[in-house]
Amino acid sequence: MADIAVGESEVGTGEQPRRHLLSAPFRWFAAIIAGEGERRILWLPVCLGLGIALYFTLAIEPPLWLGLAGLAPAAIAALMLRRWPTLAAAALALAFVAGGFALVQGARWERGAPLLDHRMSAPVSGRVVDIDTLDRGWRVIVAVDPLPGLDADEEPRLLRIHIAASSDRVEPGDTVRMKAMLYPVPAPILPGGRDMQRELYFAGIGGVGYSLGPAHRTGEATSSGGREWLLRLRTEMTRRISTVLPGSTGGIASALITGKRGTIAEDVKEAFRETGLSHLLAIAGLHLGLVGGFVFFTVRGVLALIPRIALRWPIKHIAALVTLVVLFCYLMISGAAIPTERAFVMNGIIFAAIFLRRLRLSMRVCALAALVVLMLDPASLVGVSFQMSFGAVVALIAVYESWGGTLARIFHRGSWGQRAIGYCGAVVVTTLVATLGTEPFSIYHFHRFVVYSPLANVIAVPISAAWTLPCGVFACLLMPFGLERLALIPMGWGIDATIWVAEHVARLPGNMWVTPHLPIAGLVLIALGGLWLCLWQQKWRYWGVAGIVGGAATIFLSHPPDLVLADLGRFLAVRQPAGYAVAAGAEEIDRSFFQSETGADLGPWPGDLDCANGRCTYTAHGKKVAIVTAAAGLPIDCTSVDAIVAQIPAGFDCRGKVPVADRIDTWRYGAIGLWVNSAGVTLESANRTRGDRPWVPHPISRKERERAKTK
């Protein structure tokens, strides 16, 4: 018994340290999480976003019940584990992940509509949903009537059509008819490229095109709903602005007031992009903050001049309430884009807090704004507007939470001259911080780095703050009386000055650096590392630096494709030392998309290629790729090349022997990229990487379609 007792004692003393060792990391993690206090709640929108991102990473479309099936048990577990805070927090996080997954599934079910899978010329009729004014004509969104030759399950819900300038004047709600050339929504121009099909699928737009001749209005609006009335108001305001301020000046004025920028010339847009001033064209935190501050102090100042009101009424709270109303109207008139929604929530909370005497600006305001935006439009998570908007705001709040007092003492003291210099310094710091927060997303989406962005912002932002936006507020107030010209003309002076700054800074040498493609895995690492650094407050927050550095390092692992074949073989590009050589016959829209995706210069065909008799040869790393541009280039000796790329059907002789990509393959699998290295030739298609999703076309032949109809 004694021996047994000793043995049991030894076992007990051996197992207890083991259990202690296993529980020590958990207790450490629980303690450090508890030490973050209220900061833990900031991760709930991140968990919601992770669920949305998980949906988009899948290769197949999940069943609709899957998100809700994960949400229910996780939420129940969070309630049942309240006695164990760390476990309850983990269950709550899983509930938000499942909730995000369910939200985006609901958005797909509600908004998704069939996409056109082939070009067609057809008579189009339907109701105008929205309209944008362009340099030549208009771009309309039409809720289209059934199109000839399409089954009910193939009918697109909305079409985006460019109508001719000779068309009848139409308003949202009017019915129109036209003869139009319709196209499928543009597919990614290379594997991993921008997925416009996914973007427009969640917007309900199933095809694009242009009118063949003028469009005719067949009936006026019959609905008097609030949304339609608002769209007509935006359209009318935009037209009145363009009447006073034509061209790019009016386009920027419309962008700042109604959110419509159709008349801005492309070279002006490019100048704004190349100087980091594009944020001035998207109504976001800067605009709502400046408008809100202008209205608040103006109303409060006017009320303070009336003694009877100033002595009897809380004018500060009245000004805050008036500002809330003005900001809500601004949100509605501007079209409620993602950055505007985020800015309205944040500014609205601030002025509501002033009204309720509970003003406290913190990261929680940003977290609440992210929750609201993702719940309203979960698919916005993968869009550039959401990413850059919240990237900038999270970085700014994190910096000013940590060093706001120090920066205020540096920039806002001394004489008027010192304060003016301090204001410029504050703009520079704000621009640098916002640039750090948005640059990874800019590099991922636009493949460029702007060097002189702080210089352009130091000059242009004060112009917008002190002149352009206040004039815009007065223009809106005067518009009901037909006197908007009195404010729009001075507003145009400020806009012209901003355009001048953008164009001259963009011409400075060394301003634009073209960057390699940042892989999606690198972007995710940078985003999560940045959130870890900004949302936590204890020392372990600096672990996020490792994620940022690791994500940034992946840019050196990326390699652009050496050859790209897309758009049914019409687009063919081959990488050269100075950029890409593009074969003749490529459509301008494909060239534009490809240049924006790669950031490279596009040169004429054949460049440095060896071409003769409908065939060219591309040589790199000791490998040869045969490029067939005409029927005369066939047949090919399969043993003499390492891969074949053909703008025409290449047949089956070499398939299975060497990698082959031809026109038929691009019809089936989308854009195809080829990477050539010493180990061989690697081939990848856009549709295979996107998976079997509702917005990914998987075309079948006409014979197969007819066979399916007869079954």
Side-chain angles (χ1 to χ4, degrees), residues 40 94 172 251 267 378 474 525 580 658:
R40 292 173 294 179
L94 289 175
D267 58 335
F474 286 122
L525 277 175
Y580 280 88
V658 295

Side-chain angles (χ1 to χ4, degrees), residues 11-264:
V11 171
T13 57
E15 287 184 355
Q16 185 153 353
R18 188 178 302 136
R19 287 197 300 269
H20 176 74
L21 288 174
L22 291 174
S23 62
F26 177 79
R27 288 204 305 269
W28 171 84
F29 182 74
I32 200 169
I33 285 288
E36 292 288 350
E38 296 180 351
R39 304 287 291 190
R40 292 173 294 179
I41 201 173
L42 301 177
W43 286 90
L44 293 182
V46 178
C47 293
L48 193 76
L50 287 175
I52 297 171
L54 177 62
Y55 169 82
F56 286 112
T57 60
L58 298 179
I60 59 172
E61 187 64 23
L64 273 173
W65 51 263
L66 187 60
L68 294 176
L71 174 61
I76 294 171
L79 292 174
M80 296 180 64
L81 295 172
R82 286 178 294 176
R83 294 177 56 189
W84 298 275
T86 304
L87 295 177
L92 183 62
L94 289 175
F96 268 77
V97 171
F101 195 93
L103 273 174
V104 72
Q105 283 189 293
R108 197 278 301 173
W109 178 79
E110 176 188 3
R111 303 177 187 177
L115 300 173
L116 286 177
D117 63 358
H118 63 282
R119 301 183 180 193
M120 59 185 300
S121 175
V124 174
S125 63
R127 182 174 57 86
V128 176
V129 175
D130 200 3
I131 182 169
D132 282 318
T133 303
L134 305 177
D135 285 335
R136 290 177 294 178
W138 299 274
R139 183 172 57 234
V140 296
I141 306 296
V142 180
V144 66
D145 296 331
L147 295 171
L150 297 181
D151 293 338
D153 58 349
E154 299 173 331
E155 288 286 348
R157 183 183 304 169
L158 300 174
L159 294 174
R160 189 171 71 186
I161 304 175
H162 184 177
I163 63 176
S166 57
S167 302
D168 295 343
R169 175 172 170 172
V170 296
E171 302 281 354
D174 293 345
T175 55
V176 296
R177 62 177 174 80
M178 69 192 83
K179 179 77 171 179
M181 187 69 195
L182 303 178
Y183 297 85
V185 177
I189 195 63
L190 74 169
R194 179 187 177 186
D195 196 343
M196 187 176 290
Q197 290 177 328
R198 181 183 64 197
E199 295 174 16
L200 295 191
Y201 176 83
F202 278 92
I205 297 175
V208 298
Y210 59 89
S211 66
L212 300 171
H216 300 285
R217 186 176 66 168
T218 58
E220 296 183 357
T222 57
S223 172
S224 58
R227 182 178 183 276
E228 193 165 279
W229 176 85
L230 188 62
L231 289 171
R232 294 172 73 89
L233 175 63
R234 292 181 64 209
T235 302
E236 179 60 24
M237 291 177 67
T238 303
R239 281 177 172 155
R240 291 172 70 169
I241 292 169
S242 299
T243 300
V244 178
L245 300 174
S248 295
T249 304
I252 294 177
S254 300
L256 297 177
I257 295 175
T258 65
K260 294 179 177 289
R261 57 176 83 174
T263 60
I264 305 177

Side-chain angles (χ1 to χ4, degrees), residues 276 392 395 429-440 442 449-450 453-454 457:
V429 170
T430 300
T431 301
L432 290 175
V433 173
T435 299
L436 289 174
T438 59
E439 203 59 45
S442 177
F449 178 78
V450 180
S453 174
N457 278 271

Side-chain angles (χ1 to χ4, degrees), residues 288-357:
L288 267 76
L290 292 173
V291 169
F294 175 77
V295 172
F296 177 78
F297 288 111
T298 300
V299 172
R300 188 178 181 187
V302 171
L303 294 178
L305 296 176
I306 307 174
R308 181 174 296 181
I309 296 178
L311 296 174
R312 296 182 180 182
W313 296 89
I315 60 174
K316 178 179 179 181
H317 304 91
I318 294 174
L321 187 60
V322 171
T323 303
L324 276 173
V325 173
V326 171
L327 291 182
F328 179 76
C329 293
Y330 193 10
L331 172 70
M332 293 295 100
I333 291 173
S334 66
I338 297 302
T340 318
E341 289 179 353
R342 186 267 308 161
F344 172 75
V345 172
M346 298 186 67
N347 283 276
I349 290 174
I350 292 171
F351 287 106
I354 294 175
F355 181 76
L356 299 173
R357 303 181 183 182

